[in-house]
């Protein structure tokens, strides 16, 4: 059956984006194949799209008629403040536009979606949350690293490395003590601090570790090593954000799954 027919069959189940309403949505980590049908439908319906830097250009190009507002960061500096973004979304909704607020990954995972939803409630703007595939899970899967694997882990920790080394930091030792794998968002620039804190917390230097950058895009790179080697490997490879740091036994599955995958493709 053709893709168009599948979509036609599903389309009547999708909701309408009403004028004056906001859909606060996640676009997944990059690949257009990883957006949801709700997001595809919102791209078709929206009059205005307010998008972040992590939303892939190919996804925005699909929205042919909407006005586009960039609300991301350039060169690591916030070019537009959170309050201004919120004010823009509210203004567009009050103008009677159908507004799609599109973020990378999932809007409620390290995406400030909570703050924006809160502001919409306070201002009486009707909204819906459309979840997306978060980079920390979809990016791992694409790199052949299972988030959970029987016999290896019973939990997975999603953490931010943004404040590593500051007074506002996480208790890395407590996280290390769980023995469960960690996926660290926004941690590349603090990689050495995070590695040192995990090792100090008792995590063995031999623990498998990986860094996945620009997951689910043409620029994706994956570097694997151990807690001991990963910082040096990342530096030598010249890795750049956006990046996920993965630490734990699940990383060791990648080598096996990748080898099998190659064999299948060759055969
Ligand atoms: N809401 C997003 C996360 C935003 S925070 C989500 O659910 O995925 C920004 C961080 O997300 C980046 O610093 C990086 O750690 C991670 N990230 C987002 N997209 C990524 C991608 N394509 N590849 C690797 N990491 C990504």
């Amino acid at each position: 059956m053709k893709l168009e027919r599948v979509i036609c069959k599903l389309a009547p189940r999708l909701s309408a984006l009403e004028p004056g309403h906001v859909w606060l949505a996640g676009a997944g980590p990059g690949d257009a194949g990883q957006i949801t049908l709700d997001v595809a439908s919102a791209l078709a319906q929206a009059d205005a799209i307010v998008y972040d830097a992590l939303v892939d250009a190919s996804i925005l190009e699909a929205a042919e008629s909407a006005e586009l507002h960039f609300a991301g960061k350039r060169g690591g500096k916030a070019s537009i403040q959170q309050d201004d973004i919120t004010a823009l979304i509210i203004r567009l909704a009050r103008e009677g536009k159908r507004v799609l607020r599109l973020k990378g990954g999932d809007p409620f995972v390290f995406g400030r979606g909570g703050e924006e939803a809160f502001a919409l409630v306070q201002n009486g703007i009707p909204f819906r949350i459309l979840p997306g595939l978060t980079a920390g899970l979809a990016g791992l899967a694409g790199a052949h690293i299972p988030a959970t694997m029987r016999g290896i882990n019973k939990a997975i920790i999603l953490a931010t490395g943004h404040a590593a080394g500051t007074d506002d930091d996480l208790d890395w030792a407590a996280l290390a003590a769980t023995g469960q794998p960690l996926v660290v968002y926004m941690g590349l620039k603090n990689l050495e601090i995070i590695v040192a804190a995990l090792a100090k917390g008792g995590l063995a230097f031999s623990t498998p570790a990986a860094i996945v950058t620009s997951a689910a895009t043409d620029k994706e790179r994956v570097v694997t090593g151990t807690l001991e080697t990963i910082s040096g490997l990342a530096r030598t490879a010249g890795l750049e954000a956006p990046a996920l740091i993965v630490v734990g036994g699940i990383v060791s599955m990648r080598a096996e799954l990748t080898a099998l995958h190659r064999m299948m493709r060759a055969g």
Side-chain angles (χ1 to χ4, degrees):
M1 194 174 10
K2 287 213 162 70
L3 173 64
E4 287 81 358
R5 283 204 56 204
V6 174
I7 292 176
C8 278
K9 287 196 168 186
L10 294 169
R13 294 170 172 261
L14 305 177
S15 309
L17 171 52
E18 308 280 348
H21 288 217
V22 175
W23 282 4
L24 184 48
D31 185 354
Q34 295 186 16
I35 66 169
T36 62
L37 268 185
D38 266 340
V39 167
S41 142
L43 289 169
Q45 299 182 73
D47 301 307
I49 302 177
V50 181
Y51 68 98
D52 281 351
L54 286 171
V55 177
D56 203 80
S58 63
I59 292 168
L60 293 167
E61 276 164 22
E64 288 167 6
S65 54
E67 57 181 70
L68 298 180
H69 299 265
F70 177 68
K73 292 176 182 177
R74 286 216 169 95
K77 271 196 271 166
S79 43
I80 166 163
Q81 297 296 321
Q82 186 61 46
D83 286 352
D84 296 333
I85 298 171
T86 311
L88 171 66
I89 299 166
I90 292 167
R91 177 173 65 74
L92 291 167
R94 290 209 170 124
E95 285 170 7
K97 296 196 165 124
R98 287 171 273 244
V99 184
L100 172 60
R101 170 65 174 123
L102 198 55
K103 292 165 169 287
D106 182 281
F108 277 2
V109 180
F110 301 127
R112 297 204 171 200
E115 279 124 294
E116 290 179 21
F118 200 58
L120 293 172
V121 170
Q122 282 178 329
N123 284 277
I125 309 282
F127 69 96
R128 253 182 95 198
I129 308 295
L130 307 184
L133 289 175
T134 190
L137 298 177
L140 255 57
H144 292 174
I145 301 172
T148 68
M149 183 79 198
R150 263 164 75 101
I152 297 184
N153 63 320
K154 293 195 172 65
I156 183 148
I157 298 165
L158 304 183
T160 168
H162 182 66
T166 71
D167 292 345
D168 191 28
D169 202 359
L170 272 165
D171 185 347
W172 295 100
L175 298 183
T178 65
Q180 302 297 325
L182 284 147
V183 181
V184 184
Y185 292 63
M186 295 174 277
L188 189 61
K189 68 178 187 315
N190 295 327
L191 179 60
E192 282 168 25
I193 298 172
I194 294 165
V195 163
L198 290 172
K200 202 170 160 216
L203 209 61
F205 274 118
S206 58
T207 308
I211 298 185
V212 185
T213 67
S214 297
T217 75
D218 296 343
K219 292 189 297 179
E220 175 173 305
R221 294 181 70 188
V222 185
V223 169
T224 54
T226 62
L227 195 63
E228 185 167 27
T229 60
I230 199 71
S231 301
L233 291 169
R235 214 177 314 118
T236 311
L239 295 184
E240 285 176 17
L244 300 156
I245 306 167
V246 195
V247 183
I250 50 172
V251 172
S252 60
M253 293 302 300
R254 171 178 158 79
E256 259 172 77
L257 291 174
T258 303
L260 284 171
H261 187 236
R262 285 214 183 102
M263 262 167 51
M264 279 167 57
R265 281 201 307 190

